[in-house]
Amino acid sequence: MVEGVHFKLEWCKPQDLGARSLAVNLSDIAAMGGVPTACVVNLAVRPGLGVVFFDRLYAGLVKEAEAAGADVIGGNVTRGSQLTVTITVLGEARRGILRRDSARVGDAVYVSGTVGDAAAGLRILQGELRASGATRRFLVGRFLRPTARLEAGRKLAQLRPLPAAIDLSDGLWQDLGHILERSGVGAEIDPIAIPLSPAYRKLVGGDPTLALRGGDDYELLFCVRTRFSELALSRRLGVPVHRIGRIVRGSHAVLTGDGSSRRNARSDFAGWDQLRQLSEAK
Amino acid sequence: MVEGVHFKLEWCKPQDLGARSLAVNLSDIAAMGGVPTACVVNLAVRPGLGVVFFDRLYAGLVKEAEAAGADVIGGNVTRGSQLTVTITVLGEARRGILRRDSARVGDAVYVSGTVGDAAAGLRILQGELRASGATRRFLVGRFLRPTARLEAGRKLAQLRPLPAAIDLSDGLWQDLGHILERSGVGAEIDPIAIPLSPAYRKLVGGDPTLALRGGDDYELLFCVRTRFSELALSRRLGVPVHRIGRIVRGSHAVLTGDGSSRRNARSDFAGWDQLRQLSEAK
């Protein structure tokens, strides 16, 4: 996490920065179905930041580590021109490792939680979207304090056959692409099925473009054999999950529905053309 | 390793930068008597550096990893304003772990190789010292391409009682201080016994001040029970080692000899007063 690239200090408290720096790394462990055990922290510090700042950053980081059951076992501090937090998290996979290359034709594609909130929150922080009150707090909070889906990842790793999984850091469309590329398959995604939060709907509307393109949600995207209902799988994983499509033969993702057969869908959001371009560009 | 803080690109080939970035981390494993197994590489890349540069940097890094028996198992690339290479190395300790807190009164203090070469090399690169030919090549090479003393560390970890050890990254005097602080002991160091290379002597003379203060040698400093000759211990560890002093009661290091009882020593270098200040400041 690099100041000016991934965050600005005026966006958040040092504690939040510490916690987020670790959470985005814990998310990678979650996406593999692992149990985090230890982390190593490298700080590049720039002039102008004092001891109090780093005490708070570290406190937020340690609190997040403790909640995840991981120890901060070491690290390094160096000088730099940008504040940079680099973390390596170690974890163990006890029941099997979720991979990106194991999606199979016929699998159902799911995502945990809701998607697009962090992208909307980032745009609020950047002044590109305007929101206030609870809507702003929720969306900005989803960007600043993501939750690594560790428990859901562990539960996924108990399923057989092992699901393919990835965490949503770059954005749903791009991260799905990583799974498809590694697995040598395609996917059909129903944009209407993308789970959007009430806050997202209030600010952005029903258009899932931002949810498909925006990153930083740190939800899990996974591909499982279709033997669960959404409700049953949500209960099993301890987090709401939604089925957004399926794995098919091919090499990339396409959006299902064309706006003619699904008029309701078309009227529901304005970004269909943009989505189609996204789909065709892939 | 941060561009502009730890290195300048005009100093070295990208391959050397990659190799050095890993070597300085392998050195920490060596100082614990460990066997490196895997490493994770984080690159912050700045504008102006192309694919060829990173291919070469990575090639140097991978070659160094292979030589040490470690796998590059993952990493991350991000943008930044300074080229930064952050590496976490994982290792295993099979026979026992060398620590900094286990030096005991009566131990002999040793260093591997020669000390101060890298500091002299850095000053040549920075234009503060002038050298040419083989002298320059040797000293600059010692800075740019340090060798992690992995084999010596492993062999040290077979001794009983386990020696205290540290690698020389900050400088002999400062790194010795880390051992003394952690172990709750003091040390007497004989400046005349500090092993200086012919190139160091040619450029700097017999004054060990730079060797005591300068860092980046990545040699091992260790404290062992005095039952070996220098020669026997050198053979056992596979690298020349020299006894430079002993662990005593106290809480910091002092330099032995006062320049009156050891006239030859005094005339051998000009920096005695500076050394004394160093000693008293600690």
Side-chain angles (χ1 to χ4, degrees), chain B residues 238-272:
Chain B
V239 59
V241 299
H242 290 88
R243 182 175 171 164
I244 61 168
R246 62 190 184 112
I247 298 296
V248 298
R249 293 182 198 284
S251 59
H252 45 263
V254 294
L255 293 168
T256 55
D258 61 3
S260 60
S261 61
R262 305 181 72 170
R263 292 184 184 278
N264 287 342
R266 182 169 216 170
S267 62
D268 198 29
F269 58 88
W272 190 268

PDB file of all heavy atoms in Angstrom, chain B residues 238-272:
ATOM      1  N   GLY B 238      34.037 -22.918   6.874  1.00  0.00           N
ATOM      2  CA  GLY B 238      34.194 -22.754   5.429  1.00  0.00           C
ATOM      3  C   GLY B 238      34.432 -21.325   4.987  1.00  0.00           C
ATOM      4  O   GLY B 238      34.264 -20.993   3.816  1.00  0.00           O
ATOM      5  N   VAL B 239      34.791 -20.470   5.918  1.00  0.00           N
ATOM      6  CA  VAL B 239      35.073 -19.074   5.599  1.00  0.00           C
ATOM      7  C   VAL B 239      36.095 -18.582   6.630  1.00  0.00           C
ATOM      8  O   VAL B 239      36.053 -19.012   7.785  1.00  0.00           O
ATOM      9  CB  VAL B 239      33.772 -18.224   5.642  1.00  0.00           C
ATOM     10  CG1 VAL B 239      33.119 -18.278   7.013  1.00  0.00           C
ATOM     11  CG2 VAL B 239      34.038 -16.778   5.234  1.00  0.00           C
ATOM     12  N   PRO B 240      37.046 -17.730   6.219  1.00  0.00           N
ATOM     13  CA  PRO B 240      38.009 -17.234   7.205  1.00  0.00           C
ATOM     14  C   PRO B 240      37.282 -16.436   8.289  1.00  0.00           C
ATOM     15  O   PRO B 240      36.427 -15.606   7.985  1.00  0.00           O
ATOM     16  CB  PRO B 240      38.918 -16.306   6.382  1.00  0.00           C
ATOM     17  CG  PRO B 240      38.671 -16.642   4.956  1.00  0.00           C
ATOM     18  CD  PRO B 240      37.273 -17.177   4.881  1.00  0.00           C
ATOM     19  N   VAL B 241      37.623 -16.713   9.543  1.00  0.00           N
ATOM     20  CA  VAL B 241      37.053 -15.928  10.644  1.00  0.00           C
ATOM     21  C   VAL B 241      38.193 -15.401  11.509  1.00  0.00           C
ATOM     22  O   VAL B 241      39.271 -16.003  11.570  1.00  0.00           O
ATOM     23  CB  VAL B 241      36.076 -16.763  11.507  1.00  0.00           C
ATOM     24  CG1 VAL B 241      34.907 -17.252  10.666  1.00  0.00           C
ATOM     25  CG2 VAL B 241      36.787 -17.922  12.192  1.00  0.00           C
ATOM     26  N   HIS B 242      37.952 -14.274  12.136  1.00  0.00           N
ATOM     27  CA  HIS B 242      38.955 -13.676  13.016  1.00  0.00           C
ATOM     28  C   HIS B 242      38.342 -13.316  14.359  1.00  0.00           C
ATOM     29  O   HIS B 242      37.221 -12.811  14.415  1.00  0.00           O
ATOM     30  CB  HIS B 242      39.574 -12.434  12.364  1.00  0.00           C
ATOM     31  CG  HIS B 242      40.437 -12.770  11.194  1.00  0.00           C
ATOM     32  ND1 HIS B 242      39.935 -12.882   9.917  1.00  0.00           N
ATOM     33  CD2 HIS B 242      41.765 -13.056  11.113  1.00  0.00           C
ATOM     34  CE1 HIS B 242      40.918 -13.208   9.095  1.00  0.00           C
ATOM     35  NE2 HIS B 242      42.041 -13.323   9.786  1.00  0.00           N
ATOM     36  N   ARG B 243      39.132 -13.556  15.386  1.00  0.00           N
ATOM     37  CA  ARG B 243      38.704 -13.212  16.734  1.00  0.00           C
ATOM     38  C   ARG B 243      39.020 -11.748  16.973  1.00  0.00           C
ATOM     39  O   ARG B 243      40.171 -11.321  16.859  1.00  0.00           O
ATOM     40  CB  ARG B 243      39.443 -14.090  17.738  1.00  0.00           C
ATOM     41  CG  ARG B 243      39.009 -13.803  19.135  1.00  0.00           C
ATOM     42  CD  ARG B 243      39.652 -14.753  20.126  1.00  0.00           C
ATOM     43  NE  ARG B 243      39.351 -14.289  21.474  1.00  0.00           N
ATOM     44  CZ  ARG B 243      39.487 -15.006  22.556  1.00  0.00           C
ATOM     45  NH1 ARG B 243      39.964 -16.242  22.471  1.00  0.00           N
ATOM     46  NH2 ARG B 243      39.177 -14.513  23.726  1.00  0.00           N
ATOM     47  N   ILE B 244      38.003 -10.970  17.298  1.00  0.00           N
ATOM     48  CA  ILE B 244      38.222  -9.531  17.456  1.00  0.00           C
ATOM     49  C   ILE B 244      38.018  -9.060  18.899  1.00  0.00           C
ATOM     50  O   ILE B 244      38.216  -7.883  19.196  1.00  0.00           O
ATOM     51  CB  ILE B 244      37.298  -8.711  16.528  1.00  0.00           C
ATOM     52  CG1 ILE B 244      35.820  -8.976  16.867  1.00  0.00           C
ATOM     53  CG2 ILE B 244      37.575  -9.031  15.063  1.00  0.00           C
ATOM     54  CD1 ILE B 244      34.870  -7.995  16.188  1.00  0.00           C
ATOM     55  N   GLY B 245      37.634  -9.952  19.789  1.00  0.00           N
ATOM     56  CA  GLY B 245      37.468  -9.511  21.172  1.00  0.00           C
ATOM     57  C   GLY B 245      36.747 -10.555  21.998  1.00  0.00           C
ATOM     58  O   GLY B 245      36.672 -11.722  21.625  1.00  0.00           O
ATOM     59  N   ARG B 246      36.204 -10.105  23.135  1.00  0.00           N
ATOM     60  CA  ARG B 246      35.521 -11.059  24.007  1.00  0.00           C
ATOM     61  C   ARG B 246      34.365 -10.395  24.733  1.00  0.00           C
ATOM     62  O   ARG B 246      34.314  -9.162  24.874  1.00  0.00           O
ATOM     63  CB  ARG B 246      36.500 -11.667  25.005  1.00  0.00           C
ATOM     64  CG  ARG B 246      37.130 -10.641  25.939  1.00  0.00           C
ATOM     65  CD  ARG B 246      38.279 -11.284  26.723  1.00  0.00           C
ATOM     66  NE  ARG B 246      38.805 -10.307  27.690  1.00  0.00           N
ATOM     67  CZ  ARG B 246      38.676 -10.429  29.025  1.00  0.00           C
ATOM     68  NH1 ARG B 246      38.072 -11.471  29.545  1.00  0.00           N
ATOM     69  NH2 ARG B 246      39.165  -9.502  29.827  1.00  0.00           N
ATOM     70  N   ILE B 247      33.449 -11.229  25.144  1.00  0.00           N
ATOM     71  CA  ILE B 247      32.281 -10.771  25.885  1.00  0.00           C
ATOM     72  C   ILE B 247      32.656 -10.660  27.364  1.00  0.00           C
ATOM     73  O   ILE B 247      33.287 -11.561  27.930  1.00  0.00           O
ATOM     74  CB  ILE B 247      31.098 -11.746  25.708  1.00  0.00           C
ATOM     75  CG1 ILE B 247      30.685 -11.818  24.231  1.00  0.00           C
ATOM     76  CG2 ILE B 247      29.913 -11.338  26.579  1.00  0.00           C
ATOM     77  CD1 ILE B 247      30.159 -10.520  23.660  1.00  0.00           C
ATOM     78  N   VAL B 248      32.313  -9.512  27.962  1.00  0.00           N
ATOM     79  CA  VAL B 248      32.623  -9.263  29.378  1.00  0.00           C
ATOM     80  C   VAL B 248      31.358  -8.785  30.098  1.00  0.00           C
ATOM     81  O   VAL B 248      30.339  -8.511  29.462  1.00  0.00           O
ATOM     82  CB  VAL B 248      33.735  -8.181  29.513  1.00  0.00           C
ATOM     83  CG1 VAL B 248      35.033  -8.656  28.855  1.00  0.00           C
ATOM     84  CG2 VAL B 248      33.283  -6.847  28.903  1.00  0.00           C
ATOM     85  N   ARG B 249      31.438  -8.697  31.409  1.00  0.00           N
ATOM     86  CA  ARG B 249      30.333  -8.079  32.147  1.00  0.00           C
ATOM     87  C   ARG B 249      30.207  -6.630  31.701  1.00  0.00           C
ATOM     88  O   ARG B 249      31.198  -5.993  31.366  1.00  0.00           O
ATOM     89  CB  ARG B 249      30.594  -8.111  33.656  1.00  0.00           C
ATOM     90  CG  ARG B 249      30.580  -9.502  34.231  1.00  0.00           C
ATOM     91  CD  ARG B 249      30.783  -9.515  35.747  1.00  0.00           C
ATOM     92  NE  ARG B 249      31.183 -10.848  36.183  1.00  0.00           N
ATOM     93  CZ  ARG B 249      30.334 -11.875  36.279  1.00  0.00           C
ATOM     94  NH1 ARG B 249      29.042 -11.697  36.032  1.00  0.00           N
ATOM     95  NH2 ARG B 249      30.748 -13.067  36.654  1.00  0.00           N
ATOM     96  N   GLY B 250      29.017  -6.107  31.747  1.00  0.00           N
ATOM     97  CA  GLY B 250      28.826  -4.714  31.367  1.00  0.00           C
ATOM     98  C   GLY B 250      27.618  -4.580  30.467  1.00  0.00           C
ATOM     99  O   GLY B 250      26.790  -5.493  30.377  1.00  0.00           O
ATOM    100  N   SER B 251      27.552  -3.431  29.803  1.00  0.00           N
ATOM    101  CA  SER B 251      26.374  -3.203  28.970  1.00  0.00           C
ATOM    102  C   SER B 251      26.720  -2.592  27.612  1.00  0.00           C
ATOM    103  O   SER B 251      25.830  -2.277  26.839  1.00  0.00           O
ATOM    104  CB  SER B 251      25.389  -2.283  29.698  1.00  0.00           C
ATOM    105  OG  SER B 251      26.017  -1.050  29.991  1.00  0.00           O
ATOM    106  N   HIS B 252      28.008  -2.380  27.342  1.00  0.00           N
ATOM    107  CA  HIS B 252      28.338  -1.890  26.005  1.00  0.00           C
ATOM    108  C   HIS B 252      29.762  -2.290  25.637  1.00  0.00           C
ATOM    109  O   HIS B 252      30.458  -2.927  26.421  1.00  0.00           O
ATOM    110  CB  HIS B 252      28.119  -0.387  25.884  1.00  0.00           C
ATOM    111  CG  HIS B 252      28.645   0.406  27.032  1.00  0.00           C
ATOM    112  ND1 HIS B 252      27.841   0.808  28.071  1.00  0.00           N
ATOM    113  CD2 HIS B 252      29.889   0.846  27.308  1.00  0.00           C
ATOM    114  CE1 HIS B 252      28.583   1.485  28.933  1.00  0.00           C
ATOM    115  NE2 HIS B 252      29.818   1.513  28.493  1.00  0.00           N
ATOM    116  N   ALA B 253      30.141  -1.914  24.454  1.00  0.00           N
ATOM    117  CA  ALA B 253      31.449  -2.315  23.937  1.00  0.00           C
ATOM    118  C   ALA B 253      32.492  -1.253  24.240  1.00  0.00           C
ATOM    119  O   ALA B 253      32.207  -0.057  24.183  1.00  0.00           O
ATOM    120  CB  ALA B 253      31.366  -2.538  22.429  1.00  0.00           C
ATOM    121  N   VAL B 254      33.679  -1.698  24.577  1.00  0.00           N
ATOM    122  CA  VAL B 254      34.805  -0.776  24.705  1.00  0.00           C
ATOM    123  C   VAL B 254      35.942  -1.286  23.824  1.00  0.00           C
ATOM    124  O   VAL B 254      36.041  -2.485  23.553  1.00  0.00           O
ATOM    125  CB  VAL B 254      35.307  -0.649  26.164  1.00  0.00           C
ATOM    126  CG1 VAL B 254      34.238  -0.002  27.040  1.00  0.00           C
ATOM    127  CG2 VAL B 254      35.703  -2.008  26.720  1.00  0.00           C
ATOM    128  N   LEU B 255      36.764  -0.352  23.367  1.00  0.00           N
ATOM    129  CA  LEU B 255      37.929  -0.729  22.571  1.00  0.00           C
ATOM    130  C   LEU B 255      39.099  -0.939  23.499  1.00  0.00           C
ATOM    131  O   LEU B 255      39.338  -0.136  24.410  1.00  0.00           O
ATOM    132  CB  LEU B 255      38.242   0.366  21.551  1.00  0.00           C
ATOM    133  CG  LEU B 255      37.180   0.520  20.467  1.00  0.00           C
ATOM    134  CD1 LEU B 255      37.397   1.805  19.685  1.00  0.00           C
ATOM    135  CD2 LEU B 255      37.206  -0.683  19.527  1.00  0.00           C
ATOM    136  N   THR B 256      39.809  -2.032  23.308  1.00  0.00           N
ATOM    137  CA  THR B 256      40.957  -2.316  24.161  1.00  0.00           C
ATOM    138  C   THR B 256      42.195  -1.646  23.594  1.00  0.00           C
ATOM    139  O   THR B 256      42.257  -1.306  22.413  1.00  0.00           O
ATOM    140  CB  THR B 256      41.196  -3.835  24.269  1.00  0.00           C
ATOM    141  OG1 THR B 256      41.323  -4.356  22.958  1.00  0.00           O
ATOM    142  CG2 THR B 256      40.058  -4.499  24.998  1.00  0.00           C
ATOM    143  N   GLY B 257      43.202  -1.484  24.458  1.00  0.00           N
ATOM    144  CA  GLY B 257      44.409  -0.756  24.057  1.00  0.00           C
ATOM    145  C   GLY B 257      44.105   0.727  24.181  1.00  0.00           C
ATOM    146  O   GLY B 257      42.975   1.162  24.011  1.00  0.00           O
ATOM    147  N   ASP B 258      45.111   1.518  24.562  1.00  0.00           N
ATOM    148  CA  ASP B 258      44.857   2.941  24.722  1.00  0.00           C
ATOM    149  C   ASP B 258      45.830   3.766  23.888  1.00  0.00           C
ATOM    150  O   ASP B 258      45.873   4.979  23.980  1.00  0.00           O
ATOM    151  CB  ASP B 258      44.934   3.348  26.190  1.00  0.00           C
ATOM    152  CG  ASP B 258      46.311   3.085  26.763  1.00  0.00           C
ATOM    153  OD1 ASP B 258      47.208   2.645  25.993  1.00  0.00           O
ATOM    154  OD2 ASP B 258      46.497   3.309  27.966  1.00  0.00           O
ATOM    155  N   GLY B 259      46.627   3.078  23.097  1.00  0.00           N
ATOM    156  CA  GLY B 259      47.522   3.832  22.239  1.00  0.00           C
ATOM    157  C   GLY B 259      48.838   4.159  22.919  1.00  0.00           C
ATOM    158  O   GLY B 259      49.778   4.585  22.273  1.00  0.00           O
ATOM    159  N   SER B 260      48.902   3.996  24.256  1.00  0.00           N
ATOM    160  CA  SER B 260      50.179   4.222  24.929  1.00  0.00           C
ATOM    161  C   SER B 260      50.882   2.888  25.118  1.00  0.00           C
ATOM    162  O   SER B 260      52.061   2.751  24.841  1.00  0.00           O
ATOM    163  CB  SER B 260      49.950   4.910  26.283  1.00  0.00           C
ATOM    164  OG  SER B 260      49.135   4.112  27.111  1.00  0.00           O
ATOM    165  N   SER B 261      50.138   1.919  25.560  1.00  0.00           N
ATOM    166  CA  SER B 261      50.734   0.602  25.757  1.00  0.00           C
ATOM    167  C   SER B 261      50.921  -0.112  24.418  1.00  0.00           C
ATOM    168  O   SER B 261      51.642  -1.083  24.340  1.00  0.00           O
ATOM    169  CB  SER B 261      49.868  -0.238  26.691  1.00  0.00           C
ATOM    170  OG  SER B 261      48.588  -0.421  26.132  1.00  0.00           O
ATOM    171  N   ARG B 262      50.226   0.372  23.384  1.00  0.00           N
ATOM    172  CA  ARG B 262      50.337  -0.306  22.091  1.00  0.00           C
ATOM    173  C   ARG B 262      50.738   0.707  21.036  1.00  0.00           C
ATOM    174  O   ARG B 262      49.971   1.059  20.158  1.00  0.00           O
ATOM    175  CB  ARG B 262      49.019  -0.977  21.720  1.00  0.00           C
ATOM    176  CG  ARG B 262      48.527  -1.917  22.800  1.00  0.00           C
ATOM    177  CD  ARG B 262      47.246  -2.593  22.405  1.00  0.00           C
ATOM    178  NE  ARG B 262      47.486  -3.579  21.364  1.00  0.00           N
ATOM    179  CZ  ARG B 262      46.559  -4.444  20.985  1.00  0.00           C
ATOM    180  NH1 ARG B 262      45.363  -4.416  21.514  1.00  0.00           N
ATOM    181  NH2 ARG B 262      46.824  -5.319  20.048  1.00  0.00           N
ATOM    182  N   ARG B 263      51.978   1.136  21.119  1.00  0.00           N
ATOM    183  CA  ARG B 263      52.421   2.222  20.234  1.00  0.00           C
ATOM    184  C   ARG B 263      52.314   1.840  18.769  1.00  0.00           C
ATOM    185  O   ARG B 263      51.969   2.658  17.923  1.00  0.00           O
ATOM    186  CB  ARG B 263      53.854   2.614  20.581  1.00  0.00           C
ATOM    187  CG  ARG B 263      53.943   3.266  21.941  1.00  0.00           C
ATOM    188  CD  ARG B 263      55.352   3.744  22.263  1.00  0.00           C
ATOM    189  NE  ARG B 263      55.383   4.283  23.629  1.00  0.00           N
ATOM    190  CZ  ARG B 263      55.000   5.503  23.942  1.00  0.00           C
ATOM    191  NH1 ARG B 263      54.545   6.302  23.005  1.00  0.00           N
ATOM    192  NH2 ARG B 263      55.044   5.931  25.195  1.00  0.00           N
ATOM    193  N   ASN B 264      52.623   0.583  18.499  1.00  0.00           N
ATOM    194  CA  ASN B 264      52.526   0.161  17.099  1.00  0.00           C
ATOM    195  C   ASN B 264      51.107   0.326  16.582  1.00  0.00           C
ATOM    196  O   ASN B 264      50.890   0.756  15.466  1.00  0.00           O
ATOM    197  CB  ASN B 264      52.943  -1.303  16.954  1.00  0.00           C
ATOM    198  CG  ASN B 264      54.440  -1.439  17.105  1.00  0.00           C
ATOM    199  OD1 ASN B 264      55.167  -0.442  16.972  1.00  0.00           O
ATOM    200  ND2 ASN B 264      54.897  -2.644  17.392  1.00  0.00           N
ATOM    201  N   ALA B 265      50.207  -0.029  17.473  1.00  0.00           N
ATOM    202  CA  ALA B 265      48.805   0.084  17.077  1.00  0.00           C
ATOM    203  C   ALA B 265      48.471   1.537  16.786  1.00  0.00           C
ATOM    204  O   ALA B 265      47.881   1.854  15.759  1.00  0.00           O
ATOM    205  CB  ALA B 265      47.905  -0.449  18.188  1.00  0.00           C
ATOM    206  N   ARG B 266      48.911   2.404  17.685  1.00  0.00           N
ATOM    207  CA  ARG B 266      48.556   3.809  17.521  1.00  0.00           C
ATOM    208  C   ARG B 266      49.073   4.365  16.196  1.00  0.00           C
ATOM    209  O   ARG B 266      48.368   5.058  15.487  1.00  0.00           O
ATOM    210  CB  ARG B 266      49.147   4.620  18.673  1.00  0.00           C
ATOM    211  CG  ARG B 266      48.763   6.081  18.583  1.00  0.00           C
ATOM    212  CD  ARG B 266      49.128   6.808  19.861  1.00  0.00           C
ATOM    213  NE  ARG B 266      48.133   7.803  20.169  1.00  0.00           N
ATOM    214  CZ  ARG B 266      48.088   8.452  21.312  1.00  0.00           C
ATOM    215  NH1 ARG B 266      48.948   8.190  22.270  1.00  0.00           N
ATOM    216  NH2 ARG B 266      47.171   9.351  21.522  1.00  0.00           N
ATOM    217  N   SER B 267      50.296   4.019  15.916  1.00  0.00           N
ATOM    218  CA  SER B 267      50.873   4.569  14.692  1.00  0.00           C
ATOM    219  C   SER B 267      50.268   3.925  13.450  1.00  0.00           C
ATOM    220  O   SER B 267      50.403   4.432  12.354  1.00  0.00           O
ATOM    221  CB  SER B 267      52.394   4.347  14.680  1.00  0.00           C
ATOM    222  OG  SER B 267      52.660   2.954  14.691  1.00  0.00           O
ATOM    223  N   ASP B 268      49.585   2.819  13.669  1.00  0.00           N
ATOM    224  CA  ASP B 268      49.034   2.091  12.534  1.00  0.00           C
ATOM    225  C   ASP B 268      47.839   2.811  11.929  1.00  0.00           C
ATOM    226  O   ASP B 268      47.492   2.614  10.788  1.00  0.00           O
ATOM    227  CB  ASP B 268      48.631   0.680  12.974  1.00  0.00           C
ATOM    228  CG  ASP B 268      48.466  -0.255  11.782  1.00  0.00           C
ATOM    229  OD1 ASP B 268      49.143  -0.038  10.764  1.00  0.00           O
ATOM    230  OD2 ASP B 268      47.646  -1.181  11.873  1.00  0.00           O
ATOM    231  N   PHE B 269      47.151   3.593  12.698  1.00  0.00           N
ATOM    232  CA  PHE B 269      46.039   4.340  12.114  1.00  0.00           C
ATOM    233  C   PHE B 269      45.818   5.644  12.859  1.00  0.00           C
ATOM    234  O   PHE B 269      46.194   5.804  14.013  1.00  0.00           O
ATOM    235  CB  PHE B 269      44.753   3.510  12.092  1.00  0.00           C
ATOM    236  CG  PHE B 269      44.296   3.031  13.438  1.00  0.00           C
ATOM    237  CD1 PHE B 269      43.471   3.830  14.217  1.00  0.00           C
ATOM    238  CD2 PHE B 269      44.674   1.790  13.924  1.00  0.00           C
ATOM    239  CE1 PHE B 269      43.034   3.401  15.438  1.00  0.00           C
ATOM    240  CE2 PHE B 269      44.242   1.356  15.156  1.00  0.00           C
ATOM    241  CZ  PHE B 269      43.422   2.160  15.922  1.00  0.00           C
ATOM    242  N   ALA B 270      45.182   6.561  12.147  1.00  0.00           N
ATOM    243  CA  ALA B 270      45.047   7.919  12.665  1.00  0.00           C
ATOM    244  C   ALA B 270      43.778   8.124  13.462  1.00  0.00           C
ATOM    245  O   ALA B 270      43.617   9.128  14.142  1.00  0.00           O
ATOM    246  CB  ALA B 270      45.081   8.907  11.498  1.00  0.00           C
ATOM    247  N   GLY B 271      42.874   7.163  13.370  1.00  0.00           N
ATOM    248  CA  GLY B 271      41.528   7.423  13.874  1.00  0.00           C
ATOM    249  C   GLY B 271      41.288   7.053  15.320  1.00  0.00           C
ATOM    250  O   GLY B 271      40.142   6.898  15.726  1.00  0.00           O
ATOM    251  N   TRP B 272      42.355   6.919  16.097  1.00  0.00           N
ATOM    252  CA  TRP B 272      42.166   6.440  17.452  1.00  0.00           C
ATOM    253  C   TRP B 272      41.210   7.324  18.253  1.00  0.00           C
ATOM    254  O   TRP B 272      40.328   6.816  18.950  1.00  0.00           O
ATOM    255  CB  TRP B 272      43.508   6.316  18.174  1.00  0.00           C
ATOM    256  CG  TRP B 272      43.372   5.608  19.470  1.00  0.00           C
ATOM    257  CD1 TRP B 272      43.144   6.185  20.678  1.00  0.00           C
ATOM    258  CD2 TRP B 272      43.378   4.206  19.680  1.00  0.00           C
ATOM    259  NE1 TRP B 272      43.018   5.227  21.654  1.00  0.00           N
ATOM    260  CE2 TRP B 272      43.159   3.992  21.059  1.00  0.00           C
ATOM    261  CE3 TRP B 272      43.565   3.092  18.852  1.00  0.00           C
ATOM    262  CZ2 TRP B 272      43.108   2.720  21.626  1.00  0.00           C
ATOM    263  CZ3 TRP B 272      43.514   1.836  19.414  1.00  0.00           C
ATOM    264  CH2 TRP B 272      43.282   1.654  20.790  1.00  0.00           C
TER     265      TRP B 272
END
